[in-house]
Amino acid sequence: MLRTALRNVLAHKARLAMTVLAVCLGVAFVSGTLVFADSSAAAHRAAASKSFAGIAVSVTPKHTPDAPPGEDPAGVLDDALVRKLAGVPGVASVRPTADGSATLSASDGTPLRAGKAWANLGAAHVPGTDGQDSRYPLVEGRAPRDGDEIAVDSGTAAAGRFRLGDPVALATDGPVMTKRLVGIVTTEDTRVTAGGTLALFDRATAQQLFAAPGRYTGIDLTAAPGTGQAELSARVTAVLPVGRAEATTGAAQAAQQALYVDTLTRGHTKLPLVFAGVSLFIGSFLIVNTFTMLVTRRTREIALLRAIGASRRQVAGSVLAEAALLGLVASTAGFLLGLGIAAVLPGLLGTAQDALPEGPLVIGPRPVVAALGVGVGVTVLAAWLPSRRAARVAPVEAMRSVQQPPSAARSRIRAAAGLVLLVLGAGLLVSLSGAKDASAQNLQDAMLACGVLLVSLIVLAPLLAAPVIRPLGRLTGRFGAVGHLARENALRDPRRTAATASTLMISTALVAGLAVVGNSTAQALDRQAAAGLGADYVIGTRTPTTGIDPAAVERVAATAGVRTAAAVADVSLFVGGGVRQIAGVDPAAVGAVMKLDFVDGSAKELGPGRIAVSSALAREQGIGAGDRLDAHIGRGRDPRPYTVVGVYRDNPVAGDAIGDLGEVRSAGFLPGSVQRILVATDDGGASEAMGKRLRTAVGGNPLLKVQDRAALVHEAAGSVGELLTLMYGLLAIGIVISALGIVNTLAMSVSERTREIGVLRAVGMDRAGVRRMIRLEAVVVAAFGTLLGLAGGVFSAWAVGSLANGAMARYSLVLPWGTLLLVCLLSLVIGAAAAVVPARRAAALSPLRAVAES
């Protein structure tokens, strides 16, 4: 039986090669992604080890949740502690550090490498006895000597096109500063090599910016020969202030940093794994269809094997062995292709603003096992049902010349199972759509319901073939007899037609659903981003811990063309056991920059101790204008009663509540600062010149962003771009595998209908007619799968979108007609293109030889 399986594989090389290719794509994505992830993690670990090379122990302040308010945790690290640590036995050298965050400005005023704000580092250049800082070796220029000078790493210099002597604008947590570039260094810090920036200051300036004069944020120690890191760490811990500082070995520090950076960049592996899952899922239907057709074609052969003594288990084992061989070949080819994917992924996913670590490919056991397990496992699992069908072939089948249709009992069981799944999936989606609550549990339930609905369509597809394809036959009927024959050929074996169309149906459903959700979300974000905004520009901070200098507000107000510049302080509002957001505004200016629709009261009476709340917060707390609300703002700890002077309709610009600017600003994280400036212009619009003037007014501070309405909408819709990328990737995968399925099916169909095609040629059908018939059959099958996929995808998107309406008040279903039409056209084109080779093969058949074939 094993020889039989091997012979069957070799006898159908061309047809099975398409099945191998479908599995190969999925295995390649899986193995390539895993190799890329392992290689990326190894590169991060190697870079972190280099970064902390020579550091035996790092001392850092210990942050305790019960520390007194206002206590600086870095205050414990001072020169006295540095001298004390230098005297610890086994310490060879001591290097105090003052590190923090520094964002540099590009030549156009935008932040340099803004996408990696977590890796925009600022630090002190600490020279040793030789005048060099071993952690940041100089490659050009010299080290900064005073507060007007700065050094950067070579990657930052290249990204910003900085040269020695250039002025460099930057900011840490306040106004923009300009310093002269005097040196360029190299660094192995994984945060910088992963796409961040590095700015180095002299020690005194770094202490002033990131700690305090005479204070440090960390102290690095090197060990004397013969002293281990763990041993030195224990000695250092013994002399540190209890509960205020802690010691960590250099190896542990390197491991923590590598894990931190690897975690933040791990999102690059998600998209390829999604493609892998989809390709394997769709490819499994191609495998099932291929083996089903092979079993059907070899019915007489299997019956003869049964007649000469082969048991059912041997027949099933033969089919499974054949699948295992194919899976092994697909796994090997997929793994090799995956290595190529892993090699090019850093270049595809990384950019100049978001670099990925460099390093050799790391091929561990996990990708190899995954490739074999996925490739062989999926193939064998998909061939299980055809193997059982083969095992049921009776010896008497060898005497039959025609295929027996499925029994009525099996059809009824399929119909019942499909209807149950359909009612279950659709019913769950309809019930969830009424909830309008985008909680994690509801979204998980919705995804499960979508899967059940898709499976129900797959189960019911053979029964739906005739009702759907017969109306399509009216269109193919316009091509005359060949059109009618194409329709009847598609209906000849509904199970085969359904299995072939299922691959296209799945990809179409995924793409259609994502397209509808993505388009509806984008439209909602477009409306929501500018809803309630009366201003033409919004100047805001890039990080929640940054504030806008009040002097910047005055400069913006004095800018030519500005009619109103209203400062807004955004602070947490603690009410009813929850955390909300309150916006501090000037009552006299708020009407010019916010579109507040009050249903009760007004903003005129805003002042200390008096606030206005949104309709959602008012409903939640059961309050209205004139009532009292116990809450505390920002840093305050004890609730106090606030008088509610008005209730306004929910407004994304105003947030949950608005209060007096002075009161809210004084209770913020950065007292005295504001987080937004809403700007209304004289001409009531945005222009490039006005944008430049506003950026100049805020000093070109890279920590601030100046956005008009269009920029706000674009930023809000940023995540939709990722959804569209996913959608087009899934469409490409679905098209490739669907095309393989159609080619495979038609090739086998042509082989089975050799005599029939010969008769058609003998009675007068020319070669062009044969080709047209095969192509029309492929288009009919593609149209059938596309229609089912569109129906399932749009319905699922409607239900999931109803949940999104709970989290996005302005969400409504908006069908992307252009995208859906494009999907339909692509499906039909793919169907016609996939039929080219089988159609040419059918047309090339000799009528006499075809009729004579037994």
Side-chain angles (χ1 to χ4, degrees):
M1 297 304 294
L2 289 177
R3 288 197 297 270
T4 301
L6 181 60
R7 180 186 61 80
N8 286 329
V9 170
L10 297 177
H12 304 92
K13 295 187 292 293
R15 298 168 192 170
L16 295 178
M18 300 176 193
T19 304
V20 169
L21 183 56
V23 179
C24 178
L25 289 175
V27 172
F29 278 119
V30 171
S31 60
T33 302
L34 294 177
V35 170
F36 167 70
D38 291 344
S39 303
S40 176
H44 285 140
R45 288 193 297 270
S49 297
K50 292 180 181 179
S51 178
F52 287 90
I55 298 178
V57 175
S58 291
V59 177
T60 54
K62 191 171 186 179
H63 298 264
T64 55
D66 56 347
E71 179 182 272
D72 180 12
V76 67
L77 306 187
D78 55 14
D79 290 322
L81 183 59
V82 171
R83 291 191 294 268
K84 188 175 181 180
L85 292 175
V88 173
V91 173
S93 64
V94 180
R95 181 185 183 277
T97 61
D99 301 340
S101 176
T103 303
L104 282 71
S105 178
S107 57
D108 59 356
T110 59
L112 193 63
R113 291 180 171 173
K116 289 292 184 70
W118 54 270
N120 292 335
L121 309 181
H125 188 276
V126 184
T129 55
D130 58 353
Q132 293 286 332
D133 188 334
S134 60
R135 193 166 187 181
Y136 306 116
L138 280 163
V139 295
E140 192 176 351
R142 60 174 176 82
R145 296 172 181 167
D146 56 47
D148 294 327
E149 297 177 344
I150 192 178
V152 300
D153 72 285
S154 55
T156 300
R161 299 180 180 178
F162 299 141
R163 296 183 178 181
L164 294 180
D166 286 351
V168 178
L170 71 148
T172 54
D173 61 356
V176 67
M177 302 174 286
T178 302
K179 300 185 183 296
R180 186 166 64 92
L181 181 63
V182 298
I184 297 177
V185 304
T186 60
T187 180
E188 299 291 345
D189 192 307
T190 50
R191 292 168 294 179
V192 180
T193 57
T197 61
L198 174 66
L200 294 177
F201 308 87
D202 66 286
R203 182 185 299 190
T205 302
Q207 287 177 318
Q208 183 177 2
L209 291 173
F210 307 124
R215 299 290 191 269
Y216 305 100
T217 58
I219 303 174
D220 295 333
L221 310 175
T222 60
T227 304
Q229 291 188 0
E231 179 185 0
L232 185 59
S233 176
R235 295 176 185 174
V236 169
T237 301
V239 302
L240 292 177
V242 178
R244 301 189 63 194
E246 58 185 347
T248 307
T249 63
Q253 194 98 335
Q256 290 173 4
Q257 182 164 304
L259 179 62
Y260 173 70
V261 176
D262 185 57
T263 300
L264 291 174
T265 57
R266 194 171 295 166
H268 295 297
T269 64
K270 293 180 179 179
L271 196 61
L273 283 177
V274 171
F275 291 163
V278 172
S279 61
L280 288 170
F281 182 65
I282 298 176
S284 64
F285 289 90
L286 174 56
I287 299 169
V288 171
N289 201 23
T290 300
F291 275 94
T292 299
M293 288 187 291
L294 287 175
V295 168
T296 302
R297 182 171 175 78
R298 300 205 304 259
T299 297
R300 297 182 68 182
E301 174 188 331
I302 295 171
L304 286 173
L305 289 174
R306 292 295 312 283
I308 62 177
S311 66
R312 290 190 174 188
R313 177 175 298 180
Q314 287 177 315
V315 171
S318 173
V319 175
L320 293 178
E322 187 176 341
L325 288 174
L326 288 180
L328 185 61
V329 173
S331 298
T332 304
F335 183 76
L336 295 177
L337 180 60
L339 295 181
I341 292 176
V344 302
L345 273 179
L348 294 176
L349 299 177
T351 64
Q353 301 295 322
D354 190 10
L356 294 177
E358 296 181 358
L361 291 180
V362 177
I363 305 175
R366 186 175 64 151
V368 177
V369 173
L372 291 174
V374 168
V376 177
V378 168
T379 309
V380 172
L381 185 63
W384 180 70
L385 284 177
S387 71
R388 292 193 61 190
R389 186 172 300 167
R392 287 197 299 266
V393 174
V396 73
E397 296 289 339
M399 295 183 293
R400 291 177 178 167
S401 60
V402 296
Q403 178 186 350
Q404 295 300 311
S407 65
R410 290 184 185 175
S411 298
R412 286 194 295 270
I413 293 174
R414 174 185 286 269
L419 287 174
V420 169
L421 291 174
L422 180 65
V423 171
L424 183 63
L428 183 56
L429 282 174
V430 171
S431 65
L432 289 172
S433 67
K436 295 187 177 182
D437 178 12
S439 64
Q441 184 60 50
N442 279 348
L443 289 175
Q444 291 177 6
D445 292 343
M447 293 301 101
L448 175 62
C450 290
V452 172
L453 178 65
L454 191 60
V455 171
S456 72
L457 291 178
I458 294 171
V459 174
L460 290 173
L463 305 177
L464 296 174
V468 175
I469 291 178
R470 290 198 184 281
L472 293 176
R474 298 177 182 175
L475 298 177
T476 60
R478 296 178 180 272
F479 293 89
V482 293
H484 291 294
L485 287 173
R487 181 193 64 184
E488 293 306 316
N489 287 335
L491 291 173
R492 175 178 300 181
D493 189 342
R495 290 182 300 172
R496 178 186 300 177
T497 298
T500 305
S502 292
T503 58
L504 195 58
M505 179 189 72
I506 295 167
S507 58
T508 302
L510 289 172
V511 172
L514 287 174
V516 173
V517 172
N519 184 66
S520 302
T521 301
Q523 297 284 343
L525 290 173
D526 287 355
R527 293 189 293 269
Q528 183 171 312
L533 180 66
D536 303 301
Y537 286 91
V538 176
I539 302 175
T541 61
R542 296 186 182 273
T543 61
T545 59
T546 305
I548 302 177
D549 185 6
V553 181
E554 298 177 3
R555 293 195 300 271
V556 170
T559 301
V562 172
R563 184 176 77 249
T564 305
V568 180
D570 295 313
V571 180
S572 297
L573 177 68
F574 299 87
V575 55
V579 181
R580 296 286 188 158
Q581 200 76 12
I582 185 170
V585 298
D586 180 359
V590 67
V593 293
M594 289 186 187
K595 297 178 180 178
L596 293 173
D597 183 9
F598 278 87
V599 296
D600 193 5
S602 70
K604 296 180 181 179
E605 298 181 11
L606 284 176
R610 297 192 297 275
I611 64 173
V613 299
S614 66
S615 297
L617 183 58
R619 287 193 301 270
E620 178 187 293
Q621 300 297 321
I623 55 176
D627 293 336
R628 299 243 175 196
L629 178 66
D630 291 331
H632 73 266
I633 298 175
R635 295 176 300 122
R637 296 199 172 184
D638 297 324
R640 56 161 290 188
Y642 286 88
T643 301
V644 178
V645 299
V647 177
Y648 55 87
R649 298 187 188 279
D650 295 343
N651 186 311
V653 178
D656 301 305
I658 56 176
D660 178 70
L661 176 61
E663 181 180 26
V664 174
R665 183 168 57 182
S666 63
F669 179 76
L670 298 171
S673 67
V674 297
Q675 282 64 51
R676 287 182 290 167
I677 307 175
L678 306 183
V679 180
T681 61
D682 290 334
D683 56 6
S687 65
E688 183 177 352
M690 174 57 73
K692 289 182 178 179
R693 288 200 294 269
L694 292 176
R695 280 190 288 271
T696 301
V698 296
N701 194 328
L703 296 178
L704 304 181
K705 49 187 177 182
V706 179
Q707 298 175 292
D708 57 16
R709 291 171 177 266
L712 288 170
V713 170
H714 179 74
E715 181 182 65
S719 58
V720 178
E722 299 179 1
L723 186 66
L724 294 178
T725 301
L726 177 64
M727 180 188 75
Y728 293 125
L730 295 177
L731 177 60
I733 290 175
I735 284 176
V736 170
I737 299 179
S738 300
L740 293 175
I742 294 173
V743 170
N744 224 12
T745 301
L746 290 178
M748 291 188 177
S749 178
V750 167
S751 179
E752 291 176 356
R753 301 205 307 261
T754 299
R755 297 185 66 185
E756 175 187 326
I757 294 172
V759 171
L760 291 175
R761 295 277 285 115
V763 298
M765 182 178 286
D766 58 9
R767 296 179 185 272
V770 172
R771 288 195 297 268
R772 190 179 304 116
M773 178 184 69
I774 300 299
R775 286 197 296 266
L776 287 174
E777 181 181 349
V779 170
V780 167
V781 173
F784 172 54
T786 301
L787 289 176
L788 286 186
L790 285 176
V794 172
F795 179 78
S796 299
W798 165 78
V800 174
S802 298
L803 293 178
N805 194 27
M808 197 177 301
R810 297 179 179 271
Y811 183 95
S812 61
L813 187 70
V814 181
L815 295 180
W817 293 107
T819 302
L820 296 180
L821 179 61
L822 178 62
V823 170
C824 293
L825 292 177
L826 278 176
S827 299
L828 298 180
V829 170
I830 288 301
V836 170
V837 174
R840 291 184 61 183
R841 181 182 175 187
L845 289 174
S846 168
L848 293 179
R849 292 183 60 186
V851 171
E853 184 173 299
S854 58

